[in-house]
Amino acid sequence: MYSTTTLSTHSTVASSGSIEDLSLSDEENVSFEKVSKFGRIIVKAPNAISQLTLEKANREIDKLPAYDFKSKGNRIREVDLVASEYSKDAQRPTKVTFDADGKLSDTEEFEKKFAPHTDSIKAMCKEALQTMGQKLNWKNISIEVRCNVLRYPFTPEQTQICNMAWHKDGCNLSMTTLLSPYYQHGNGFTGGELSFAQDSLFSPGVPVAGTIKTLEYEKPGDGFIFDGLKSLHKVENMHLLHEIKDGEEIVERLLLLCFAWPSIGDVITLSEALGKENLV
């Protein structure tokens, strides 16, 4: 999906077909620039998951069922990580703790919701959450979290994934981590960068002109942390490298999503405390 860690700005058009242009005076633009960064977070998390953990978890992911859904006409699959007895509460977050040293603890309730034979997936999710806590300096704090895995399949019928919508994840902070390589089975895919933008105050769901930034992952295991309060995000277009012929293995982009619900006040404080690490 992502080939470099280059940070760039694009004039990307929102799913609604427009980008809000405030047309402010110079003095107003300075004021707006400060406001637009307040409470917003974009942080790189390289090596969020180790390669060994990643390899083991991917083998387990391949054995789990997944459910299809459509997004802007694109077929995407959500992996079923949850044990059947917790299926009704699959979307409900679970509280975990980061102790005085920032170590992830009290994960028993979090872990017991996972389906059987997912020990490596559980380890992967905990490793990602630990990275998230370290990057955000979480100590002496309990936070509700939830993890999902998405599969973006490329098949003879779906050779590209395009026109994904600007959206929020419904949580206060997210971390997405790439789980799959770009090149697979003598084939592969390009694209899939992650774009971020300030959400419009006047037209929610529409990115504000001049605030769009697009980031690319360098390798599997790398992640990005971002807020869900004032920021929108979207996956950029992805394309299969070569046609998949009958009998050939499909190509997939795999993504781990970690959702977290620290307080709004904590997110606002973090947006300032992160300093230059905050790429907004």
Side-chain angles (χ1 to χ4, degrees):
M1 178 179 66
Y2 304 116
S3 56
T4 69
T5 52
T6 305
L7 175 62
S8 57
T9 304
H10 297 260
S11 297
T12 309
V13 178
S15 58
S16 64
S18 63
I19 295 177
E20 182 185 34
D21 184 357
L22 299 184
S23 300
L24 301 175
S25 67
D26 289 344
E27 183 176 347
E28 288 172 325
N29 266 318
V30 172
S31 176
F32 174 72
E33 177 70 10
K34 292 180 180 178
V35 172
S36 70
K37 292 185 177 182
F38 182 72
R40 293 190 59 210
I41 291 172
I42 306 171
V43 176
K44 289 182 179 181
N47 302 309
I49 302 168
S50 71
Q51 294 304 304
L52 180 60
T53 300
L54 196 60
E55 290 170 10
K56 291 180 178 179
N58 280 345
R59 287 197 289 269
E60 289 184 350
I61 290 169
D62 286 342
K63 298 175 183 178
L64 292 177
Y67 301 99
D68 288 9
F69 66 94
K70 289 290 185 76
S71 178
K72 289 290 184 176
N74 301 291
R75 175 176 169 250
I76 303 172
R77 314 196 75 206
E78 181 175 344
V79 179
D80 187 9
L81 302 179
V82 180
S84 57
E85 61 266 34
Y86 293 101
S87 58
K88 292 183 178 179
D89 297 322
Q91 301 303 311
R92 183 176 297 175
T94 307
K95 187 174 290 186
V96 297
T97 298
F98 293 86
D99 66 19
D101 297 319
K103 184 178 179 180
L104 180 68
S105 60
D106 296 335
T107 62
E108 292 81 6
E109 289 297 311
F110 173 77
E111 292 184 57
K112 77 178 186 181
K113 286 188 176 181
F114 282 78
H117 312 299
T118 56
D119 288 347
S120 296
I121 294 174
K122 284 186 278 190
M124 174 184 71
C125 292
K126 291 194 295 180
E127 196 169 309
L129 290 170
Q130 182 66 76
T131 297
M132 194 175 186
Q134 288 174 342
K135 295 295 290 186
L136 302 178
N137 197 31
W138 281 341
K139 295 180 180 180
N140 290 320
I141 189 172
S142 293
I143 295 175
E144 291 190 324
V145 299
R146 181 167 63 83
C147 295
N148 283 358
V149 172
L150 295 182
R151 311 181 82 134
Y152 297 77
F154 295 91
T155 65
E157 297 75 31
Q158 180 166 271
T159 60
Q160 60 183 3
I161 296 173
C162 297
N163 303 315
M164 298 290 281
W166 289 100
H167 66 283
K168 295 180 179 180
D169 289 335
C171 58
N172 293 347
L173 283 176
S174 300
M175 183 169 79
T176 59
T177 307
L178 181 65
L179 304 182
S180 55
Y182 296 102
Y183 301 102
Q184 307 164 26
H185 321 304
N187 203 338
F189 65 94
T190 60
E193 300 88 351
L194 196 58
S195 288
F196 304 92
Q198 167 77 14
D199 192 11
S200 169
L201 294 173
F202 309 106
S203 302
V206 176
V208 175
T211 69
I212 298 174
K213 293 184 178 179
T214 300
L215 296 170
E216 300 175 309
Y217 295 104
E218 181 178 0
K219 62 185 183 304
D222 288 351
F224 292 104
I225 302 167
F226 49 94
D227 74 281
L229 300 179
K230 298 179 66 179
S231 295
L232 299 169
H233 64 281
K234 66 172 289 190
V235 178
E236 294 296 338
N237 295 347
M238 294 178 274
H239 301 273
L240 188 66
L241 288 180
H242 309 293
E243 179 184 358
I244 297 176
K245 299 178 181 178
D246 290 341
E248 292 183 342
E249 293 189 68
I250 67 169
V251 172
E252 285 190 309
R253 172 191 187 254
L254 293 179
L255 201 70
L256 172 65
L257 298 90
C258 297
F259 306 120
W261 283 263
S263 71
I264 292 174
D266 285 342
V267 175
I268 291 172
T269 300
L270 272 171
S271 69
E272 297 290 331
L274 286 166
K276 292 182 179 180
E277 279 198 83
N278 191 355
L279 303 177
V280 172

PDB file of all heavy atoms in Angstrom, residues 98-132:
ATOM      1  N   PHE A  98      -2.771   1.582  31.292  1.00  0.00           N
ATOM      2  CA  PHE A  98      -1.337   1.833  31.120  1.00  0.00           C
ATOM      3  C   PHE A  98      -0.820   2.252  32.499  1.00  0.00           C
ATOM      4  O   PHE A  98      -1.290   3.239  33.075  1.00  0.00           O
ATOM      5  CB  PHE A  98      -1.105   2.917  30.076  1.00  0.00           C
ATOM      6  CG  PHE A  98      -1.506   2.500  28.691  1.00  0.00           C
ATOM      7  CD1 PHE A  98      -2.817   2.638  28.261  1.00  0.00           C
ATOM      8  CD2 PHE A  98      -0.579   1.938  27.821  1.00  0.00           C
ATOM      9  CE1 PHE A  98      -3.200   2.232  26.987  1.00  0.00           C
ATOM     10  CE2 PHE A  98      -0.950   1.526  26.551  1.00  0.00           C
ATOM     11  CZ  PHE A  98      -2.268   1.676  26.127  1.00  0.00           C
ATOM     12  N   ASP A  99       0.123   1.480  33.047  1.00  0.00           N
ATOM     13  CA  ASP A  99       0.568   1.710  34.420  1.00  0.00           C
ATOM     14  C   ASP A  99       1.510   2.908  34.536  1.00  0.00           C
ATOM     15  O   ASP A  99       1.705   3.660  33.566  1.00  0.00           O
ATOM     16  CB  ASP A  99       1.189   0.446  35.013  1.00  0.00           C
ATOM     17  CG  ASP A  99       2.486   0.026  34.328  1.00  0.00           C
ATOM     18  OD1 ASP A  99       3.117   0.868  33.652  1.00  0.00           O
ATOM     19  OD2 ASP A  99       2.879  -1.148  34.481  1.00  0.00           O
ATOM     20  N   ALA A 100       2.112   3.067  35.706  1.00  0.00           N
ATOM     21  CA  ALA A 100       2.965   4.230  35.962  1.00  0.00           C
ATOM     22  C   ALA A 100       4.175   4.283  35.047  1.00  0.00           C
ATOM     23  O   ALA A 100       4.729   5.364  34.798  1.00  0.00           O
ATOM     24  CB  ALA A 100       3.417   4.223  37.426  1.00  0.00           C
ATOM     25  N   ASP A 101       4.592   3.127  34.530  1.00  0.00           N
ATOM     26  CA  ASP A 101       5.722   3.080  33.599  1.00  0.00           C
ATOM     27  C   ASP A 101       5.274   3.088  32.145  1.00  0.00           C
ATOM     28  O   ASP A 101       6.105   2.956  31.231  1.00  0.00           O
ATOM     29  CB  ASP A 101       6.560   1.825  33.866  1.00  0.00           C
ATOM     30  CG  ASP A 101       7.186   1.837  35.254  1.00  0.00           C
ATOM     31  OD1 ASP A 101       7.660   2.916  35.673  1.00  0.00           O
ATOM     32  OD2 ASP A 101       7.185   0.777  35.909  1.00  0.00           O
ATOM     33  N   GLY A 102       3.963   3.202  31.924  1.00  0.00           N
ATOM     34  CA  GLY A 102       3.433   3.214  30.567  1.00  0.00           C
ATOM     35  C   GLY A 102       3.221   1.835  29.983  1.00  0.00           C
ATOM     36  O   GLY A 102       2.947   1.699  28.786  1.00  0.00           O
ATOM     37  N   LYS A 103       3.332   0.785  30.819  1.00  0.00           N
ATOM     38  CA  LYS A 103       3.162  -0.584  30.318  1.00  0.00           C
ATOM     39  C   LYS A 103       1.681  -0.943  30.266  1.00  0.00           C
ATOM     40  O   LYS A 103       0.927  -0.690  31.207  1.00  0.00           O
ATOM     41  CB  LYS A 103       3.909  -1.571  31.216  1.00  0.00           C
ATOM     42  CG  LYS A 103       3.855  -3.004  30.707  1.00  0.00           C
ATOM     43  CD  LYS A 103       4.655  -3.936  31.609  1.00  0.00           C
ATOM     44  CE  LYS A 103       4.582  -5.376  31.096  1.00  0.00           C
ATOM     45  NZ  LYS A 103       5.351  -6.303  31.961  1.00  0.00           N
ATOM     46  N   LEU A 104       1.274  -1.554  29.163  1.00  0.00           N
ATOM     47  CA  LEU A 104      -0.102  -1.997  28.997  1.00  0.00           C
ATOM     48  C   LEU A 104      -0.408  -3.125  29.985  1.00  0.00           C
ATOM     49  O   LEU A 104       0.345  -4.091  30.090  1.00  0.00           O
ATOM     50  CB  LEU A 104      -0.318  -2.487  27.566  1.00  0.00           C
ATOM     51  CG  LEU A 104      -1.715  -3.005  27.206  1.00  0.00           C
ATOM     52  CD1 LEU A 104      -2.731  -1.868  27.226  1.00  0.00           C
ATOM     53  CD2 LEU A 104      -1.678  -3.664  25.821  1.00  0.00           C
ATOM     54  N   SER A 105      -1.517  -2.998  30.709  1.00  0.00           N
ATOM     55  CA  SER A 105      -1.889  -4.016  31.696  1.00  0.00           C
ATOM     56  C   SER A 105      -3.409  -4.133  31.763  1.00  0.00           C
ATOM     57  O   SER A 105      -4.132  -3.456  31.033  1.00  0.00           O
ATOM     58  CB  SER A 105      -1.308  -3.650  33.078  1.00  0.00           C
ATOM     59  OG  SER A 105      -1.819  -2.393  33.514  1.00  0.00           O
ATOM     60  N   ASP A 106      -3.872  -5.024  32.637  1.00  0.00           N
ATOM     61  CA  ASP A 106      -5.320  -5.245  32.812  1.00  0.00           C
ATOM     62  C   ASP A 106      -5.985  -5.534  31.474  1.00  0.00           C
ATOM     63  O   ASP A 106      -7.001  -4.936  31.112  1.00  0.00           O
ATOM     64  CB  ASP A 106      -5.981  -4.035  33.478  1.00  0.00           C
ATOM     65  CG  ASP A 106      -5.478  -3.789  34.889  1.00  0.00           C
ATOM     66  OD1 ASP A 106      -5.013  -4.745  35.520  1.00  0.00           O
ATOM     67  OD2 ASP A 106      -5.542  -2.636  35.351  1.00  0.00           O
ATOM     68  N   THR A 107      -5.425  -6.488  30.734  1.00  0.00           N
ATOM     69  CA  THR A 107      -5.935  -6.798  29.398  1.00  0.00           C
ATOM     70  C   THR A 107      -6.815  -8.059  29.371  1.00  0.00           C
ATOM     71  O   THR A 107      -7.208  -8.510  28.300  1.00  0.00           O
ATOM     72  CB  THR A 107      -4.770  -6.992  28.409  1.00  0.00           C
ATOM     73  OG1 THR A 107      -3.967  -8.104  28.840  1.00  0.00           O
ATOM     74  CG2 THR A 107      -3.919  -5.733  28.317  1.00  0.00           C
ATOM     75  N   GLU A 108      -7.126  -8.610  30.549  1.00  0.00           N
ATOM     76  CA  GLU A 108      -7.863  -9.877  30.594  1.00  0.00           C
ATOM     77  C   GLU A 108      -9.217  -9.774  29.897  1.00  0.00           C
ATOM     78  O   GLU A 108      -9.595 -10.647  29.093  1.00  0.00           O
ATOM     79  CB  GLU A 108      -8.046 -10.332  32.048  1.00  0.00           C
ATOM     80  CG  GLU A 108      -6.764 -10.750  32.757  1.00  0.00           C
ATOM     81  CD  GLU A 108      -5.969  -9.559  33.279  1.00  0.00           C
ATOM     82  OE1 GLU A 108      -6.482  -8.419  33.188  1.00  0.00           O
ATOM     83  OE2 GLU A 108      -4.841  -9.767  33.760  1.00  0.00           O
ATOM     84  N   GLU A 109      -9.987  -8.725  30.207  1.00  0.00           N
ATOM     85  CA  GLU A 109     -11.305  -8.555  29.588  1.00  0.00           C
ATOM     86  C   GLU A 109     -11.178  -8.333  28.084  1.00  0.00           C
ATOM     87  O   GLU A 109     -11.984  -8.833  27.297  1.00  0.00           O
ATOM     88  CB  GLU A 109     -12.045  -7.374  30.233  1.00  0.00           C
ATOM     89  CG  GLU A 109     -12.506  -7.625  31.656  1.00  0.00           C
ATOM     90  CD  GLU A 109     -13.511  -8.760  31.750  1.00  0.00           C
ATOM     91  OE1 GLU A 109     -14.481  -8.761  30.960  1.00  0.00           O
ATOM     92  OE2 GLU A 109     -13.326  -9.657  32.598  1.00  0.00           O
ATOM     93  N   PHE A 110     -10.170  -7.579  27.690  1.00  0.00           N
ATOM     94  CA  PHE A 110      -9.908  -7.323  26.275  1.00  0.00           C
ATOM     95  C   PHE A 110      -9.614  -8.624  25.541  1.00  0.00           C
ATOM     96  O   PHE A 110     -10.162  -8.896  24.459  1.00  0.00           O
ATOM     97  CB  PHE A 110      -8.734  -6.351  26.152  1.00  0.00           C
ATOM     98  CG  PHE A 110      -8.242  -6.114  24.751  1.00  0.00           C
ATOM     99  CD1 PHE A 110      -8.936  -5.290  23.886  1.00  0.00           C
ATOM    100  CD2 PHE A 110      -7.066  -6.714  24.306  1.00  0.00           C
ATOM    101  CE1 PHE A 110      -8.483  -5.065  22.588  1.00  0.00           C
ATOM    102  CE2 PHE A 110      -6.607  -6.502  23.014  1.00  0.00           C
ATOM    103  CZ  PHE A 110      -7.318  -5.666  22.159  1.00  0.00           C
ATOM    104  N   GLU A 111      -8.782  -9.462  26.130  1.00  0.00           N
ATOM    105  CA  GLU A 111      -8.343 -10.687  25.469  1.00  0.00           C
ATOM    106  C   GLU A 111      -9.430 -11.752  25.389  1.00  0.00           C
ATOM    107  O   GLU A 111      -9.493 -12.509  24.411  1.00  0.00           O
ATOM    108  CB  GLU A 111      -7.125 -11.265  26.193  1.00  0.00           C
ATOM    109  CG  GLU A 111      -5.869 -10.415  26.071  1.00  0.00           C
ATOM    110  CD  GLU A 111      -4.666 -11.060  26.724  1.00  0.00           C
ATOM    111  OE1 GLU A 111      -4.339 -12.196  26.330  1.00  0.00           O
ATOM    112  OE2 GLU A 111      -4.081 -10.455  27.633  1.00  0.00           O
ATOM    113  N   LYS A 112     -10.294 -11.826  26.391  1.00  0.00           N
ATOM    114  CA  LYS A 112     -11.254 -12.932  26.426  1.00  0.00           C
ATOM    115  C   LYS A 112     -12.336 -12.819  25.353  1.00  0.00           C
ATOM    116  O   LYS A 112     -13.026 -13.802  25.066  1.00  0.00           O
ATOM    117  CB  LYS A 112     -11.877 -13.065  27.811  1.00  0.00           C
ATOM    118  CG  LYS A 112     -12.951 -12.055  28.155  1.00  0.00           C
ATOM    119  CD  LYS A 112     -13.503 -12.350  29.545  1.00  0.00           C
ATOM    120  CE  LYS A 112     -14.690 -11.445  29.886  1.00  0.00           C
ATOM    121  NZ  LYS A 112     -15.210 -11.723  31.235  1.00  0.00           N
ATOM    122  N   LYS A 113     -12.471 -11.653  24.721  1.00  0.00           N
ATOM    123  CA  LYS A 113     -13.469 -11.478  23.664  1.00  0.00           C
ATOM    124  C   LYS A 113     -13.022 -12.072  22.329  1.00  0.00           C
ATOM    125  O   LYS A 113     -13.833 -12.264  21.425  1.00  0.00           O
ATOM    126  CB  LYS A 113     -13.774  -9.986  23.464  1.00  0.00           C
ATOM    127  CG  LYS A 113     -14.627  -9.367  24.555  1.00  0.00           C
ATOM    128  CD  LYS A 113     -15.023  -7.947  24.169  1.00  0.00           C
ATOM    129  CE  LYS A 113     -15.963  -7.340  25.187  1.00  0.00           C
ATOM    130  NZ  LYS A 113     -16.368  -5.965  24.792  1.00  0.00           N
ATOM    131  N   PHE A 114     -11.745 -12.386  22.200  1.00  0.00           N
ATOM    132  CA  PHE A 114     -11.231 -12.875  20.921  1.00  0.00           C
ATOM    133  C   PHE A 114     -11.665 -14.320  20.670  1.00  0.00           C
ATOM    134  O   PHE A 114     -11.835 -15.109  21.600  1.00  0.00           O
ATOM    135  CB  PHE A 114      -9.706 -12.786  20.877  1.00  0.00           C
ATOM    136  CG  PHE A 114      -9.190 -11.398  20.621  1.00  0.00           C
ATOM    137  CD1 PHE A 114      -9.157 -10.458  21.630  1.00  0.00           C
ATOM    138  CD2 PHE A 114      -8.747 -11.032  19.356  1.00  0.00           C
ATOM    139  CE1 PHE A 114      -8.680  -9.176  21.400  1.00  0.00           C
ATOM    140  CE2 PHE A 114      -8.261  -9.759  19.111  1.00  0.00           C
ATOM    141  CZ  PHE A 114      -8.233  -8.817  20.139  1.00  0.00           C
ATOM    142  N   ALA A 115     -11.826 -14.648  19.403  1.00  0.00           N
ATOM    143  CA  ALA A 115     -12.183 -16.006  19.004  1.00  0.00           C
ATOM    144  C   ALA A 115     -11.070 -16.979  19.396  1.00  0.00           C
ATOM    145  O   ALA A 115      -9.917 -16.575  19.602  1.00  0.00           O
ATOM    146  CB  ALA A 115     -12.418 -16.047  17.493  1.00  0.00           C
ATOM    147  N   PRO A 116     -11.397 -18.274  19.500  1.00  0.00           N
ATOM    148  CA  PRO A 116     -10.352 -19.271  19.807  1.00  0.00           C
ATOM    149  C   PRO A 116      -9.257 -19.284  18.728  1.00  0.00           C
ATOM    150  O   PRO A 116      -9.497 -18.905  17.582  1.00  0.00           O
ATOM    151  CB  PRO A 116     -11.132 -20.598  19.816  1.00  0.00           C
ATOM    152  CG  PRO A 116     -12.555 -20.215  20.059  1.00  0.00           C
ATOM    153  CD  PRO A 116     -12.731 -18.876  19.406  1.00  0.00           C
ATOM    154  N   HIS A 117      -8.074 -19.735  19.141  1.00  0.00           N
ATOM    155  CA  HIS A 117      -6.936 -19.907  18.230  1.00  0.00           C
ATOM    156  C   HIS A 117      -6.505 -18.578  17.608  1.00  0.00           C
ATOM    157  O   HIS A 117      -6.167 -18.511  16.424  1.00  0.00           O
ATOM    158  CB  HIS A 117      -7.272 -20.915  17.124  1.00  0.00           C
ATOM    159  CG  HIS A 117      -7.887 -22.186  17.629  1.00  0.00           C
ATOM    160  ND1 HIS A 117      -7.223 -23.028  18.495  1.00  0.00           N
ATOM    161  CD2 HIS A 117      -9.114 -22.734  17.413  1.00  0.00           C
ATOM    162  CE1 HIS A 117      -8.006 -24.057  18.790  1.00  0.00           C
ATOM    163  NE2 HIS A 117      -9.148 -23.900  18.146  1.00  0.00           N
ATOM    164  N   THR A 118      -6.518 -17.529  18.419  1.00  0.00           N
ATOM    165  CA  THR A 118      -6.096 -16.199  17.937  1.00  0.00           C
ATOM    166  C   THR A 118      -5.034 -15.594  18.860  1.00  0.00           C
ATOM    167  O   THR A 118      -4.962 -14.378  19.009  1.00  0.00           O
ATOM    168  CB  THR A 118      -7.296 -15.241  17.837  1.00  0.00           C
ATOM    169  OG1 THR A 118      -7.954 -15.153  19.115  1.00  0.00           O
ATOM    170  CG2 THR A 118      -8.294 -15.691  16.789  1.00  0.00           C
ATOM    171  N   ASP A 119      -4.206 -16.449  19.463  1.00  0.00           N
ATOM    172  CA  ASP A 119      -3.205 -15.937  20.412  1.00  0.00           C
ATOM    173  C   ASP A 119      -2.259 -14.938  19.748  1.00  0.00           C
ATOM    174  O   ASP A 119      -1.869 -13.931  20.360  1.00  0.00           O
ATOM    175  CB  ASP A 119      -2.394 -17.094  21.000  1.00  0.00           C
ATOM    176  CG  ASP A 119      -3.204 -17.917  21.989  1.00  0.00           C
ATOM    177  OD1 ASP A 119      -4.283 -17.453  22.404  1.00  0.00           O
ATOM    178  OD2 ASP A 119      -2.762 -19.037  22.338  1.00  0.00           O
ATOM    179  N   SER A 120      -1.859 -15.202  18.507  1.00  0.00           N
ATOM    180  CA  SER A 120      -0.931 -14.291  17.821  1.00  0.00           C
ATOM    181  C   SER A 120      -1.619 -12.987  17.435  1.00  0.00           C
ATOM    182  O   SER A 120      -0.995 -11.921  17.446  1.00  0.00           O
ATOM    183  CB  SER A 120      -0.354 -14.969  16.575  1.00  0.00           C
ATOM    184  OG  SER A 120       0.427 -16.084  16.925  1.00  0.00           O
ATOM    185  N   ILE A 121      -2.898 -13.056  17.108  1.00  0.00           N
ATOM    186  CA  ILE A 121      -3.656 -11.833  16.806  1.00  0.00           C
ATOM    187  C   ILE A 121      -3.797 -10.986  18.068  1.00  0.00           C
ATOM    188  O   ILE A 121      -3.647  -9.760  18.036  1.00  0.00           O
ATOM    189  CB  ILE A 121      -5.037 -12.174  16.212  1.00  0.00           C
ATOM    190  CG1 ILE A 121      -4.867 -12.831  14.847  1.00  0.00           C
ATOM    191  CG2 ILE A 121      -5.900 -10.918  16.102  1.00  0.00           C
ATOM    192  CD1 ILE A 121      -6.165 -13.345  14.242  1.00  0.00           C
ATOM    193  N   LYS A 122      -4.084 -11.633  19.196  1.00  0.00           N
ATOM    194  CA  LYS A 122      -4.165 -10.908  20.468  1.00  0.00           C
ATOM    195  C   LYS A 122      -2.827 -10.233  20.781  1.00  0.00           C
ATOM    196  O   LYS A 122      -2.781  -9.070  21.211  1.00  0.00           O
ATOM    197  CB  LYS A 122      -4.568 -11.856  21.602  1.00  0.00           C
ATOM    198  CG  LYS A 122      -6.035 -12.221  21.601  1.00  0.00           C
ATOM    199  CD  LYS A 122      -6.409 -13.029  22.824  1.00  0.00           C
ATOM    200  CE  LYS A 122      -6.068 -14.482  22.663  1.00  0.00           C
ATOM    201  NZ  LYS A 122      -6.646 -15.325  23.737  1.00  0.00           N
ATOM    202  N   ALA A 123      -1.738 -10.974  20.579  1.00  0.00           N
ATOM    203  CA  ALA A 123      -0.409 -10.402  20.828  1.00  0.00           C
ATOM    204  C   ALA A 123      -0.152  -9.211  19.914  1.00  0.00           C
ATOM    205  O   ALA A 123       0.426  -8.197  20.344  1.00  0.00           O
ATOM    206  CB  ALA A 123       0.662 -11.471  20.618  1.00  0.00           C
ATOM    207  N   MET A 124      -0.579  -9.317  18.659  1.00  0.00           N
ATOM    208  CA  MET A 124      -0.414  -8.211  17.719  1.00  0.00           C
ATOM    209  C   MET A 124      -1.194  -6.976  18.176  1.00  0.00           C
ATOM    210  O   MET A 124      -0.669  -5.850  18.161  1.00  0.00           O
ATOM    211  CB  MET A 124      -0.884  -8.637  16.328  1.00  0.00           C
ATOM    212  CG  MET A 124      -0.895  -7.513  15.306  1.00  0.00           C
ATOM    213  SD  MET A 124      -1.581  -8.017  13.698  1.00  0.00           S
ATOM    214  CE  MET A 124      -3.333  -8.194  14.123  1.00  0.00           C
ATOM    215  N   CYS A 125      -2.437  -7.170  18.584  1.00  0.00           N
ATOM    216  CA  CYS A 125      -3.263  -6.040  19.023  1.00  0.00           C
ATOM    217  C   CYS A 125      -2.677  -5.382  20.265  1.00  0.00           C
ATOM    218  O   CYS A 125      -2.638  -4.149  20.363  1.00  0.00           O
ATOM    219  CB  CYS A 125      -4.691  -6.510  19.287  1.00  0.00           C
ATOM    220  SG  CYS A 125      -5.603  -7.010  17.807  1.00  0.00           S
ATOM    221  N   LYS A 126      -2.201  -6.202  21.202  1.00  0.00           N
ATOM    222  CA  LYS A 126      -1.603  -5.634  22.420  1.00  0.00           C
ATOM    223  C   LYS A 126      -0.303  -4.890  22.106  1.00  0.00           C
ATOM    224  O   LYS A 126      -0.020  -3.842  22.695  1.00  0.00           O
ATOM    225  CB  LYS A 126      -1.355  -6.733  23.452  1.00  0.00           C
ATOM    226  CG  LYS A 126      -2.632  -7.310  24.049  1.00  0.00           C
ATOM    227  CD  LYS A 126      -2.368  -8.137  25.284  1.00  0.00           C
ATOM    228  CE  LYS A 126      -1.558  -9.371  24.988  1.00  0.00           C
ATOM    229  NZ  LYS A 126      -1.305 -10.173  26.207  1.00  0.00           N
ATOM    230  N   GLU A 127       0.468  -5.440  21.183  1.00  0.00           N
ATOM    231  CA  GLU A 127       1.714  -4.773  20.782  1.00  0.00           C
ATOM    232  C   GLU A 127       1.414  -3.421  20.133  1.00  0.00           C
ATOM    233  O   GLU A 127       2.093  -2.423  20.393  1.00  0.00           O
ATOM    234  CB  GLU A 127       2.477  -5.665  19.818  1.00  0.00           C
ATOM    235  CG  GLU A 127       3.935  -5.281  19.639  1.00  0.00           C
ATOM    236  CD  GLU A 127       4.710  -6.349  18.881  1.00  0.00           C
ATOM    237  OE1 GLU A 127       4.643  -7.544  19.261  1.00  0.00           O
ATOM    238  OE2 GLU A 127       5.381  -5.975  17.896  1.00  0.00           O
ATOM    239  N   ALA A 128       0.376  -3.377  19.292  1.00  0.00           N
ATOM    240  CA  ALA A 128      -0.014  -2.111  18.652  1.00  0.00           C
ATOM    241  C   ALA A 128      -0.504  -1.107  19.682  1.00  0.00           C
ATOM    242  O   ALA A 128      -0.148   0.080  19.631  1.00  0.00           O
ATOM    243  CB  ALA A 128      -1.096  -2.372  17.607  1.00  0.00           C
ATOM    244  N   LEU A 129      -1.318  -1.560  20.629  1.00  0.00           N
ATOM    245  CA  LEU A 129      -1.806  -0.660  21.680  1.00  0.00           C
ATOM    246  C   LEU A 129      -0.663  -0.159  22.556  1.00  0.00           C
ATOM    247  O   LEU A 129      -0.646   1.003  22.975  1.00  0.00           O
ATOM    248  CB  LEU A 129      -2.857  -1.375  22.536  1.00  0.00           C
ATOM    249  CG  LEU A 129      -4.199  -1.647  21.858  1.00  0.00           C
ATOM    250  CD1 LEU A 129      -5.054  -2.564  22.732  1.00  0.00           C
ATOM    251  CD2 LEU A 129      -4.942  -0.340  21.562  1.00  0.00           C
ATOM    252  N   GLN A 130       0.321  -1.035  22.823  1.00  0.00           N
ATOM    253  CA  GLN A 130       1.488  -0.605  23.595  1.00  0.00           C
ATOM    254  C   GLN A 130       2.263   0.486  22.859  1.00  0.00           C
ATOM    255  O   GLN A 130       2.686   1.479  23.453  1.00  0.00           O
ATOM    256  CB  GLN A 130       2.406  -1.795  23.867  1.00  0.00           C
ATOM    257  CG  GLN A 130       3.633  -1.463  24.705  1.00  0.00           C
ATOM    258  CD  GLN A 130       3.272  -1.057  26.124  1.00  0.00           C
ATOM    259  OE1 GLN A 130       2.947  -1.893  26.952  1.00  0.00           O
ATOM    260  NE2 GLN A 130       3.323   0.244  26.414  1.00  0.00           N
ATOM    261  N   THR A 131       2.422   0.315  21.548  1.00  0.00           N
ATOM    262  CA  THR A 131       3.085   1.345  20.745  1.00  0.00           C
ATOM    263  C   THR A 131       2.307   2.640  20.792  1.00  0.00           C
ATOM    264  O   THR A 131       2.884   3.732  20.932  1.00  0.00           O
ATOM    265  CB  THR A 131       3.225   0.877  19.286  1.00  0.00           C
ATOM    266  OG1 THR A 131       4.053  -0.286  19.246  1.00  0.00           O
ATOM    267  CG2 THR A 131       3.832   1.969  18.417  1.00  0.00           C
ATOM    268  N   MET A 132       0.993   2.545  20.673  1.00  0.00           N
ATOM    269  CA  MET A 132       0.141   3.727  20.741  1.00  0.00           C
ATOM    270  C   MET A 132       0.331   4.452  22.074  1.00  0.00           C
ATOM    271  O   MET A 132       0.497   5.672  22.124  1.00  0.00           O
ATOM    272  CB  MET A 132      -1.321   3.297  20.568  1.00  0.00           C
ATOM    273  CG  MET A 132      -2.304   4.404  20.274  1.00  0.00           C
ATOM    274  SD  MET A 132      -3.963   3.702  19.950  1.00  0.00           S
ATOM    275  CE  MET A 132      -4.848   5.192  19.451  1.00  0.00           C
TER     276      MET A 132
END
